[in-house]
Amino acid sequence: MSANSEAIVRQVQDVPGFRGVYYLIDRTTGVAKTLTLWDDERTMSESEEEGARIREETAQREGQQIISVERFEVGFSHLQP
């Protein structure tokens, strides 16, 4: 994990209800997506203000542009051990 990635995780890991994060990138196009995981819809909603601040600061620092923010409910999940 890069120093920037570690800094982002440190910022968000203390937000109540935070469960995890994935940073997905297409290295050919440079398009990236961040997926954060929360305990439930309530804690996700309560994190909105802090999340917006972290997104904006990170995008500005990294020279990125936020195109959209979407919210989804996990319908199914399976991870190999």
Side-chain angles (χ1 to χ4, degrees), residues 55-70:
R55 272 193 303 277
E56 292 294 332
E57 288 176 1
T58 302
Q60 187 174 37
R61 183 177 59 248
E62 301 294 324
Q64 299 172 341
Q65 181 181 10
I66 299 168
I67 303 298
S68 67
V69 176
E70 300 174 274

Side-chain angles (χ1 to χ4, degrees), residues 15 21 25 27-28 31-32 36 45 48 51 58 60 66 69 80-81:
V15 176
V21 61
I25 186 165
R27 297 205 185 272
T28 304
V31 173
T36 56
S45 295
E48 292 289 335
T58 302
Q60 187 174 37
I66 299 168
V69 176
Q80 292 289 75

Side-chain angles (χ1 to χ4, degrees), residues 4 10-11 13 17 25 48-49 52 56 67 72 78-79:
N4 286 337
R10 276 195 303 277
Q11 283 183 296
Q13 72 185 1
I25 186 165
E48 292 289 335
E49 190 174 309
E56 292 294 332
I67 303 298
F72 296 89
H78 175 80
L79 295 172

Side-chain angles (χ1 to χ4, degrees), residues 2-23:
S2 72
N4 286 337
S5 300
E6 290 175 9
I8 293 167
V9 170
R10 276 195 303 277
Q11 283 183 296
V12 74
Q13 72 185 1
D14 293 329
V15 176
F18 174 77
R19 301 292 293 161
V21 61
Y22 289 95
Y23 181 68

